Amino acid sequence: MPLQKILFKPGVNKENTRYTTEGGWYEADKVRFRQGSPEVIGGWQPFSAATFQGVCRSLWNWVTLGGNNLIGVGTNLKFYIQSGSDGSFYDITLSGASPLPGM
């Protein structure tokens, strides 16, 4: 069987189903099209090299009245706060706190 050139349609078409978007793209993540061809862009970059005890159960971001941007990470064992742009997380778990019943 001889080789055959395959032409793909540029862009992502979410208006049709994945079966009717033949020869095109239905889903994409971190992709852009340059001159009709897909090209990978950037991707994810680590925010911090910090590790946490336990499994992350919640992630909160808020800004204080003073303009400080805070990020809170709650795990099943501890609660951490990140303040500023240095990427350091601080353990603010209450000492002597016991887990909820059933955990």
Side-chain angles (χ1 to χ4, degrees), residues 39-75:
E39 177 180 273
V40 176
I41 57 172
W44 296 100
Q45 295 180 354
F47 177 75
S48 172
T51 58
F52 308 105
Q53 290 182 5
V55 178
C56 184
R57 300 292 187 202
S58 65
L59 182 66
W60 291 91
N61 180 250
W62 69 96
V63 179
T64 65
L65 293 174
N68 294 330
N69 188 18
L70 302 173
I71 298 174
V73 178
T75 72

Side-chain angles (χ1 to χ4, degrees), residues 24-47:
W25 305 96
Y26 179 74
E27 290 186 66
D29 186 25
K30 294 177 274 311
V31 174
R32 67 175 166 211
F33 290 85
R34 186 175 293 199
Q35 297 178 352
S37 297
E39 177 180 273
V40 176
I41 57 172
W44 296 100
Q45 295 180 354
F47 177 75

Side-chain angles (χ1 to χ4, degrees), residues 72-91:
V73 178
T75 72
N76 62 326
L77 300 175
K78 299 200 175 263
F79 190 78
Y80 301 91
I81 289 263
Q82 188 270 336
S83 175
S85 60
D86 64 349
S88 298
F89 283 83
Y90 302 96
D91 180 3

